[in-house]
Amino acid sequence: MLEINNIHKTFNLGTINEKKALNGVTLYLDEGDFVTVIGGNGAGKSTMLNAVAGVWPVDSGSIIIDGTDVTGLPEHKRASYLGRVFQDPMNGTTATMEIQENLALAARRGQRRGLKWGITKAERTRYRDIVKSLDLGLEDRMTSKVGLLSGGQRQALTLIMATLKKPKLLLLDEHTAALDPKTAAKVLELSDKIIAENHLTAMMVTHNMRDAIIHGNRLIMMNEGQIILDIRGTEKKKLSVEDLLQKFEEVSGEEFASDKALLG
Amino acid sequence: MYNLIPVFCARDIISLVRALPGSAAQGLIWGIMAIGVFLTFKILDFADLTVDGSFGTGGAVTVMLILAGYPPVAAVGIAFLAGILAGIVTGILHTVFGIPAILSGILSQIALYSVNLNISQGKANQAVSVDLYDLIVTGRNNPATILTVIIILALIIALLYWFFGTEIGFTIRATGCNENMSRAQGINTSIAKVVALAFSNGLVALAGGILSQYQGNFDVNMGRGAIVIGLASVIIGEVIGEALLGKRLNFSGRLAFVAIGSIIYYVVIQFVLWMGLPTIDMKLFSALVVAIFLAVPYMSGKSKNSYRKAVKK
């Protein structure tokens, strides 16, 4: 479903701030794979997701989604293949538009937009039913502006928007990091549910090692712009946080840098 | 304390009342322009300074076409298209060449000054007389002007209400609020910006074309300070609309209140001139009004959340 072939990306090339963010990343995802991505700060996790999403062009290598080479496509054109949820809950929705209008925007991802109504009557009912079935308590607030929602509600809405039109690949970029633990757990549960029900292929970046072990069928660890560990299936299920920390030291020769990962 | 009553009595109230229809007519015409400013400033979150130039473009195109024998309605229609072109130029400067929003507008505005003079064949002033041509509005007949412009405004508001309910309208609203999200939802934000700027400047030029007929001439300086008048109308209209209607203020209501804001602005200007403000200080006064209206929401938020008060508590 996703082929990342030896991609490289260096930021601020030739300046004092030069940073090799991706240093030859190669990754193949099968249909239905749910991969969790862990690694220290600056390891290249979010950068890899942004490369797939096309936030900027890569320096070399190629990215193929479901047989289509998207390496040369700008961000808004790749959007038709992707569903994305960001770390900042403010980032995934449009605060000045209604809940149902946000959903209508997402429903037209990858379609040519013209002078037809931005939201139809049939859609209003459909979105209400979808929101109701997910038990978010938002079904009676469909015409409220999204800016009035809490961070967790906005993140849940972003998740629905990302998957309203079934994406080839769902990218979750630390999408629970800015939420309180209880809300984070709820949003994660909702993510699991949506991914399972729609048989989605997904990548989830997280700082929380326990979440990375519990969720998904595959786990990769990144360091200095490379994938240094790729564990799947039954081996992944047997992992513990201690195993991961130890593996990190073995492979990278350093101690795991993030306190957040230990506290998780 | 300075007593205002003798000032009032010393002046001729009748002359103020007589000036009111003229203020209302002008306010309504500028209201069309202010709606254009609303599209960029409020919906796209883009302070577009092109309008100072494109307003004059509308005037120049309209007057020259009427002098060349075109019917006034067609002349204004072509002025609208000229404004759209001006907006597209600003949009391209910003989206293709990466020039910051404010600067793109300033560049277009300056360039349009020369363009406008070229359109008017190098003359800073070109008269078009209502005696010789069948103009759609004229300063000699304020009631008819008011009626005509209200009909035009109603059509524009209806059209915009429809447009911002369409899929393309949605992309512009989303782009103005959250560009990252818009791109992630497959929206070409550059196109959305160019479309909004084009529409906005089209309306501004349309207003310029109507005003040039109202005042009977094109003047190369007619658009100077248009952005300030536009912002004043948008802000005054918003404050009053929210005070009167609160949460019931919908999109078409907002647009209508922008036009009302523009009328209020002109009545206030008329009033302060009548009170004895020298005409040369008018732009200074306008700038002050806008500065105050922009500052008030920020300052009142700050006073609720001030460091000094935090200590007192």
Side-chain angles (χ1 to χ4, degrees), chain B residues 6-19 274-275:
Chain B
V7 180
F8 270 89
C9 294
R11 287 170 203 284
D12 177 12
I13 299 256
I14 305 290
S15 78
L16 176 67
V17 173
R18 271 210 203 106
W274 176 77
M275 288 289 290

Side-chain angles (χ1 to χ4, degrees), chain B residues 8 15 36 40 44 49 102 118 133 142 157 159 184 200 205 221 223 236 242 253-254 264 273 282 293 303:
Chain B
F8 270 89
S15 78
T40 46
L44 197 61
L49 301 186
I102 296 230
N118 273 298
Y133 303 96
N142 279 317
I157 291 173
L159 185 76
S200 164
N221 288 319
I236 295 171
E242 277 175 3
R254 272 178 200 282
I264 291 171
L273 288 176
M282 217 177 74
F293 270 96
S303 76

Side-chain angles (χ1 to χ4, degrees), chain A residues 75-76 79 84 90-96 101-102 105-106 108-109 113-118 161, chain B residues 161-163 165-171 173-174 177-178 180-189:
Chain A
E75 189 178 3
H76 69 268
R84 290 162 69 193
M90 303 299 139
N91 234 336
T93 47
T94 299
T96 54
E101 289 176 336
N102 271 274
L105 275 173
R108 285 161 179 75
R109 188 172 58 230
R113 295 171 209 245
L115 291 175
K116 283 181 291 195
W117 288 117
M161 287 167 66
Chain B
Y161 184 77
W162 163 76
F163 179 71
T166 65
E167 292 171 344
I168 294 179
F170 269 41
T171 66
R173 290 164 64 195
C177 179
N178 187 342
N180 282 329
M181 172 270 186
S182 301
R183 280 192 294 268
Q185 298 302 347
I187 294 168
N188 187 333
T189 51

